[in-house]
Amino acid sequence: MLIFFICIALLVLAYKFYSPFVERQAGIDPTLKTPQVRFNDGVDYVEVHPVKAYLIQFLNVAGVGPIFGPILGALYGPIALVWIVIGNILGGAVHDYFSGVLSIKEDGKSLPEIAGHYFNIFFKGLMLIFTAMLLFFVGVVFIMSPAGLLSNLSYFEGTFLSGNTFWVLVILAYYFLATLLPIDKIITKLYPAFGLLMIVMTLSLAVALLINAPHLPMAGDFLAYFDHSHYNNDLLEPNPDGLPTWPLLFVTITCGAISGFHSTQAPIMARCLTNEKYVRPVYFGAMMSEGVVACVWATAGIAAFPGGYIELKEILAQGGPGLVVNQVATSYLGVAGGIMAIIAVAIFPITSGDTAFRSLRLTITDAFNIPQSMRNRLLLAVPILVIAYFMTKIDFTLIWRYFAFSNMLLSTSVLWLATKYLFDRGTFHWIVSLPAIIGTSITVSYIMTAGIGLGLPIELSKPVGIAVGVVLLIVLLLVHQKRKAAAV
């Protein structure tokens, strides 16, 4: 129990004391006109109140990631909570914040355009590929996961509502509308309410767990999980010999700790803020909030089942994280609370999936300077969603693994982009460059040993990852010293 309270306290303190320091490095200027003021077009550049913007950003980035990921990460034990908090404060929050800063400073543009400005056309092309790939995988994942959850609800058993294809088509129809319509027609009207629903559900579950959960983690419990895990998340099979926490835990729990997907969502609200001073509460604040959600669900995975780790593993084998959500919600919140939680967990991924496809449209139109007419929006949305439908026929676990890897890869790329931004400003770049080094090490380690990568022995992941990190640190120190000498 103590670990949980320490984690929440650290997130609150980080926003209070660390986020203003980060903001000072970014060059925020409240007197400048924002993209919303300069380009108001009634479609994407639309004024949104900062409180609404925070709730929309929170809902856009939260989705099912900080629920499903921490549930899978709970198999590593209480160390999952430690990673969520450290990853969030030092990595995810600054990643999300600078995603918002870079976008609002660059006319609300998408990542590839920003990358082209700060680096070159080659890096712009890479970022375009990474961003489009991740957004598409996110959109597909956030069709499959809520459709699977809704079709498996016992309330719909024996009716046409229990068909997975039915829910896939319903969700796709909604995505079609949300991708095409101006942002103030659906997103700014409904999403603040859904964001509040997520907050209420998370707080309710946290209180219920702290009162009733049989296996709340105690301080010190996480030490046993530093060197091994009892579960191979990459293969989704029991692993009696145990696998090292590095790098699998860090790729399993991305949302809640650090997620490249969040940077793809940054332009949506960057085009709607009326003042640069709102970037910190909207972006840094939304990521802190997602960290709380992730801590609650990691705690639920660790503590909620009388059979502990073995029971959690069996439930995951039967029905994946969605079944865990179902059982936790109904067990700890009662019938009414369980229905609320299940519906919420079905809604949240949908609200991230639609903005993923919307962001994909924005990314493509920015990259190729396509006018935002209704005809052009249709020509982009229809083929994207048709392909997405056929992708839902592929095994979910395969899609999730590609999503997890591309998520980490993109977040690392954005941190390097933010490093270049702070280098150019001459401010304290280590707040983003050190997380970029660690993220690169994790990404290299994972792709070396993962089944979707090189498939090399797991024992190689740690030394190679650390070696890459050390080399990058040395290069960065040399560049830093060279710049200081040139400035003198």
Side-chain angles (χ1 to χ4, degrees), residues 191-227:
Y191 284 24
F194 291 154
L196 286 173
L197 175 62
M198 189 173 206
I199 292 171
V200 170
M201 184 202 76
T202 301
L203 292 176
S204 301
L205 182 60
V207 172
L209 287 171
L210 293 174
I211 294 173
N212 301 310
H215 296 293
L216 284 170
M218 303 301 292
D221 287 350
F222 66 90
L223 293 174
Y225 294 86
F226 269 116
D227 297 322

Side-chain angles (χ1 to χ4, degrees), residues 49-74:
H49 189 277
V51 174
K52 279 190 172 183
Y54 156 77
L55 290 169
I56 293 168
Q57 176 67 12
F58 171 50
L59 200 65
N60 284 354
V61 302
V64 79
I67 298 173
F68 280 16
I71 287 172
L72 291 169

Side-chain angles (χ1 to χ4, degrees), residues 6-48:
I6 290 174
C7 289
I8 302 303
L10 286 173
L11 290 171
V12 173
L13 291 172
Y15 183 78
K16 176 68 175 176
F17 297 107
Y18 185 52
S19 66
F21 171 75
V22 173
E23 184 178 51
R24 287 195 293 274
Q25 315 311 312
I28 291 297
D29 187 349
T31 66
L32 293 178
K33 290 184 178 180
T34 64
Q36 187 280 318
V37 175
R38 290 182 284 118
F39 304 116
N40 192 341
D41 63 359
V43 178
D44 296 309
Y45 294 88
V46 176
E47 180 179 346
V48 175

